[in-house]
Amino acid sequence: MINGKKYKVGMYGGSFNPLHLGHLECIIKAAGMCEELYIVISYRDDGKDVDLKVKIRWIYQLTKHIGNVKLIPLKDNDSKKEDYTEEKWDADCDYVKQQIGKPIDVVFCGSDYGADSFWNVCYPDSEFYVFPRSKYNSTQIRENVYEHWDWMPQVVRSHFVKKVLLIGGESAGKSTLTINLANYYNTVYLEEVGRELSELSGTDIYMLSEDFTRILLEHKAKEMRLVEQSNKVFFEDTDCLITRFYMGFLEDENIGKNAVLAEAIAALNSYDLILFLEPDVEWIQDGDRSEVIAADRVKYSNMIKDFYNKFGFKFHVITGDYVSRFEQAVKHVDEML
């Protein structure tokens, strides 16, 4: 017993593709048994494996409060797991030992790995400690991540959240449908940030140039935070290109600079599904909605479509009454999931 811990140096490894609650349980228990725990993260650059930086973020966020956990990336150059044969084990073993730089007292492993696995054979001087296999399984998660959603910690889930953007002209029902969908799928949503900020002077007529900058930046920042809290899917009411489009109707002395900012954010944005709402529901004057746009809703709606096409965003068109819109949207979301 060393300072209340059974071992001085321990090691636990895996591909964590993706990390699940079974992995987390092993990490928590192993860290509680060692003065130092080294987690070896195997990864491949094959486009199928989760990116190494993402895996590191997961494990760091889940262990930073523990204080005795250190991470070691270990690259696997084989395209398939079956190609990782015993001839290649020694080199990786030497690399891990070199990274740790001190005797490894214990190697932890799940019972899904046998006594003839890499984790036991390559470390004969270390005790081999086996944790019972949990019900969680990375292969099953990869086959259907949403069916096994509860098998993953929240920090891991956020990586697999699908993003749905709702766009269209004014008074097309975007805000109502966004909230209805978020409630229906038991998740969070991002409201139109610009609505509140455009009224800082009582009306959007007197918006300051920095108001547009703030709308663009706050919308993106809120999106990034809310995705981390989402349950499988995240709904977003408008984005930077809608803001960019409506800049042309309001006075902005720095419209050129804000346009560049909006387009730069658009280049960073990606969505799994975009729903475009046609202006075929009743126009409702809510605040400072433009009467110019109201006079020719189809024209301006088509201009927004052209704007999104210009930037390479593909979308599904939603039409009809409010019930029909909800049903169409649910159909598209279910097909995506």
Side-chain angles (χ1 to χ4, degrees):
M1 191 71 69
I2 307 167
N3 296 330
K5 303 291 180 71
K6 186 175 181 180
Y7 306 103
K8 185 172 181 63
V9 177
M11 182 182 76
Y12 175 69
S15 60
F16 307 108
N17 186 39
L19 184 146
H20 53 62
L21 295 176
H23 293 134
L24 180 59
E25 180 183 9
C26 291
I27 290 170
I28 291 171
K29 290 179 177 179
M33 297 167 66
C34 304
E35 281 197 336
E36 297 176 87
L37 176 66
Y38 291 84
I39 299 180
V40 179
I41 306 171
S42 301
Y43 70 99
R44 296 190 186 96
D45 292 330
D46 59 2
K48 298 178 182 178
D49 195 8
V50 175
D51 185 82
L52 171 65
K53 291 181 180 179
V54 174
K55 293 181 182 183
I56 288 175
R57 177 70 56 89
W58 290 343
I59 298 174
Y60 175 74
Q61 289 298 320
L62 292 168
T63 62
K64 62 182 180 180
H65 65 287
I66 299 176
N68 66 336
V69 177
K70 300 177 182 179
L71 312 181
I72 300 176
L74 178 62
K75 186 172 183 180
D76 180 355
N77 292 311
D78 295 309
S79 58
K80 295 185 296 184
K81 187 175 182 179
E82 302 77 46
D83 295 335
Y84 187 57
T85 56
E86 292 189 31
E87 298 80 52
K88 303 172 184 177
W89 289 2
D90 288 340
D92 285 348
C93 175
D94 290 341
Y95 173 79
V96 170
K97 288 178 178 179
Q98 182 181 12
Q99 292 298 304
I100 295 177
K102 59 192 74 173
I104 302 170
D105 300 305
V106 59
V107 175
F108 296 100
C109 192
S111 58
D112 46 328
Y113 289 94
D116 58 348
S117 72
F118 166 86
W119 304 111
N120 186 28
V121 172
C122 292
Y123 302 90
D125 297 328
S126 307
E127 182 178 336
F128 189 54
Y129 191 104
V130 178
F131 291 114
R133 181 183 176 89
S134 69
K135 67 176 182 179
Y136 310 107
N137 183 283
S138 292
T139 301
Q140 289 181 261
I141 295 175
R142 290 195 299 272
E143 290 173 352
N144 192 328
V145 66
Y146 303 105
E147 186 176 309
H148 301 96
W149 192 253
D150 292 338
W151 288 11
M152 299 180 291
Q154 183 62 43
V155 68
V156 178
R157 293 177 190 172
S158 64
H159 178 73
F160 299 100
V161 167
K162 296 290 188 181
K163 292 165 58 179
V164 179
L165 173 67
L166 285 80
I167 57 175
E170 289 185 333
S171 195
K174 299 185 299 298
S175 298
T176 299
L177 184 55
T178 298
I179 297 172
N180 285 342
L181 289 170
N183 290 338
Y184 180 74
Y185 286 96
N186 191 29
T187 187
V188 298
Y189 66 93
L190 174 57
E191 73 284 357
E192 186 180 355
V193 173
R195 175 168 296 185
E196 179 181 348
L197 295 179
S198 67
E199 297 174 354
L200 290 175
S201 299
T203 172
D204 58 9
I205 297 173
Y206 300 114
M207 286 180 69
L208 303 177
S209 181
E210 55 260 37
D211 293 337
F212 293 102
T213 307
R214 184 174 169 185
I215 288 169
L216 292 166
L217 295 177
E218 286 198 18
H219 192 94
K220 185 61 181 177
K222 282 189 175 183
E223 174 202 280
M224 296 173 74
R225 290 195 297 270
L226 287 169
V227 165
E228 295 177 349
Q229 305 168 25
S230 297
N231 178 28
K232 300 182 183 178
V233 60
F234 166 72
F235 296 96
E236 184 169 345
D237 180 3
T238 76
D239 72 337
C240 58
L241 288 183
I242 292 290
T243 302
R244 169 70 181 88
F245 179 79
Y246 284 112
M247 281 180 197
F249 294 87
L250 300 167
E251 293 185 10
D252 174 13
E253 60 188 16
N254 287 315
I255 189 170
K257 293 179 180 178
N258 279 323
V260 170
L261 175 59
E263 293 172 18
I265 294 173
L268 293 171
N269 282 346
S270 63
Y271 302 98
D272 299 283
L273 176 65
I274 301 179
L275 302 177
F276 186 96
L277 277 62
E278 290 282 20
D280 54 355
V281 290
E282 180 184 359
W283 167 272
I284 298 173
Q285 178 53 269
D286 181 9
D288 287 321
R289 284 177 174 164
S290 171
E291 295 298 334
V292 173
I293 295 175
D296 198 343
R297 297 172 70 192
V298 173
K299 170 188 171 181
Y300 290 104
S301 181
N302 287 335
M303 288 173 64
I304 294 174
K305 284 183 185 176
D306 293 340
F307 205 58
Y308 276 83
N309 284 324
K310 172 186 173 183
F311 286 91
F313 289 96
K314 306 300 180 183
F315 48 82
H316 294 276
V317 174
I318 301 292
T319 61
D321 61 27
Y322 291 108
V323 173
S324 177
R325 286 165 185 256
F326 176 75
E327 291 174 343
Q328 291 171 61
V330 167
K331 179 177 180 292
H332 286 301
V333 173
D334 285 348
E335 288 174 351
M336 174 190 66
L337 293 175

